[in-house]
Amino acid sequence: MNQPSLTFFCELEPEQLTYLFADGKVISSLSKLKANLSLGLLDFSIKRAEVVKKLNRAGIPVTAWILLPKEQGYWTSLDTIQDTVVRYQQFKDWATQNKLKFSAIGLDIEPPLETVHALGRSPLSQAPVLLRRLLSGDAYQKYEGITHTLIQQMHMDGFAVETYQSPTVIDERAAQSIVLSKTLGLTTLSADREVLMLYSSFFPKYSDSILWSYVQQAQAVGLGSTGGGVELEGIPGLKTLRWIDLKRDLLLAAQRVDHIYIFCLEGCVENKYMHRLLDLNWETAVIPPARQAAGITLVRKTAQGFLWALSHPIESFFGIVFLISLIKWLNKLFSKQT
């Protein structure tokens, strides 16, 4: 098995970012791994521009991971898409002014920080808000239209577009549903590459089974966390994976996809995982958790059926009526025979 294409996420403030790339060792490791970097654009500072120039000179492909100021929601969602449009223009002006080269644009599709905070504090109190969002068809279509126009503009500007998505996007697509998208303000974009965020730190108990279930339908996957990343108020940090767990995830994912993203670069450096990645034998055998993953897939299929029913209430109603009528008819038939 050949080494897949590796991309490292990097989400650092300018001072920390400058320090990470100060001595050239990290760039050397990225070059030896033939890896890419998805750089979180927390700001458009001179210090960040200088790091991008270093990476450009070294021939390291850099993705511009568009992020909003924390007070504007941080991630890209339907709630923040208009701010993302403005942010993208700011990025272009900054890149042009500093003569920076980027290979792609990255959009992190998640609910805005305010929504995440509210759900974390009191999920039940948010039920009326979520219901209103679910029923707001016109607003959803409007912001979906803005999102697709933004993607088209990025393509016209010569950029490939990759999205970092919750794996549930696969389930919604299979269910022909937009229930989760409307409720949480997400969008099921058609990008050049869709990266499913399958961090074992999210699911410590069934992580390998969840990964193996979803990776069957994935274009690319994000693995981690190796530690690091930006600190967000009200959101606990992710547990740092041991090398043995990250290695397992890498080898499992490599059996199904050619593009693997690792969150994050600074964590790999801090925990001395870079040299282990350089020495990793991608031919190492690892047995997929097929039986446990089948159980996860069954749960997913059930959830997909529920999502389909919510998205198709009329069809669901007549289906239930038909099923009840069929059961009654069969009962009468068997009663006559006995």
Side-chain angles (χ1 to χ4, degrees), residues 35-50:
N36 309 318
L37 184 72
S38 181
L39 181 61
L41 299 182
L42 279 68
D43 57 55
F44 300 124
S45 63
I46 295 297
K47 288 184 178 181
R48 195 171 302 276
E50 290 301 320

Side-chain angles (χ1 to χ4, degrees), residues 24-309:
K25 292 181 180 179
V26 174
I27 287 181
S28 176
S29 295
L30 292 173
S31 182
K32 290 175 182 177
L33 286 167
K34 298 180 181 179
N36 309 318
L37 184 72
S38 181
L39 181 61
L41 299 182
L42 279 68
D43 57 55
F44 300 124
S45 63
I46 295 297
K47 288 184 178 181
R48 195 171 302 276
E50 290 301 320
V51 169
V52 176
K53 288 178 182 179
K54 282 186 178 183
L55 292 163
N56 289 165
R57 289 193 293 268
I60 307 296
V62 183
T63 295
W65 173 11
I66 304 295
L67 293 168
L68 297 171
K70 296 174 186 177
E71 61 273 14
Q72 289 182 331
Y74 200 65
W75 299 297
T76 298
S77 69
L78 295 182
D79 292 32
T80 64
I81 190 59
Q82 292 174 309
D83 292 322
T84 301
V85 171
V86 174
R87 192 73 165 173
Y88 174 63
Q89 184 59 54
Q90 293 170 344
F91 152 74
K92 287 199 298 180
D93 294 342
W94 173 73
T96 300
Q97 182 180 351
N98 291 279
K99 299 179 181 179
L100 307 176
K101 297 179 181 179
F102 292 90
S103 60
I105 303 295
L107 296 175
D108 194 348
I109 311 299
E110 301 185 50
L113 268 177
E114 182 180 352
T115 300
V116 175
H117 287 162
L119 288 172
R121 289 192 302 266
S122 179
L124 290 179
S125 69
Q126 293 302 301
V129 177
L130 298 179
L131 181 59
R132 283 197 300 271
R133 295 172 65 95
L134 177 60
L135 300 176
S136 60
D138 292 342
Y140 178 83
Q141 292 178 359
K142 172 186 174 182
Y143 293 128
E144 273 274 271
I146 295 173
T147 305
H148 287 289
T149 299
L150 176 60
I151 298 293
Q152 290 174 355
Q153 184 61 55
M154 291 172 174
H155 283 151
M156 290 173 60
D157 292 336
F159 295 113
V161 180
E162 52 190 39
T163 56
Y164 314 134
Q165 297 263 31
S166 163
T168 55
V169 68
I170 296 291
D171 298 316
E172 275 226 294
R173 197 172 291 138
Q176 301 175 31
S177 168
I178 55 173
V179 169
L180 292 177
S181 299
K182 290 178 69 175
T183 303
L184 297 175
L186 306 178
T187 176
T188 54
L189 289 173
S190 297
D192 299 288
R193 183 177 298 157
E194 182 178 80
V195 184
L196 301 186
M197 296 183 287
L198 290 165
Y199 304 160
S200 285
S201 297
F202 287 154
F203 322 103
K205 191 172 182 180
Y206 303 105
S207 56
D208 58 341
S209 304
I210 293 172
L211 170 60
W212 190 247
S213 175
Y214 276 105
V215 77
Q216 311 302 320
Q217 299 96 36
Q219 293 179 318
V221 298
L223 306 177
S225 167
T226 64
V230 73
E231 293 184 4
L232 299 173
E233 184 180 351
I235 298 179
L238 294 175
K239 179 183 177 182
T240 299
L241 284 187
R242 301 174 301 169
W243 167 251
I244 190 172
D245 296 321
L246 178 62
K247 177 181 177 182
R248 174 206 63 201
D249 289 355
L250 289 166
L251 294 174
L252 281 175
Q255 294 184 35
R256 288 292 182 268
V257 296
D258 296 325
H259 302 279
I260 295 176
Y261 290 62
I262 300 175
F263 186 83
C264 58
L265 177 63
E266 52 268 31
C268 287
V269 172
E270 181 179 350
N271 291 295
K272 299 181 172 55
Y273 290 171
M274 296 302 284
H275 72 277
R276 291 183 171 184
L277 285 166
L278 286 164
D279 295 336
L280 179 59
N281 178 8
W282 291 91
E283 299 290 338
T284 303
V286 57
I287 300 174
R291 184 174 179 180
Q292 296 91 332
I296 298 295
T297 301
L298 180 59
V299 172
R300 290 177 51 206
K301 292 290 185 183
T302 303
Q304 289 170 17
F306 182 67
L307 288 171
W308 185 92

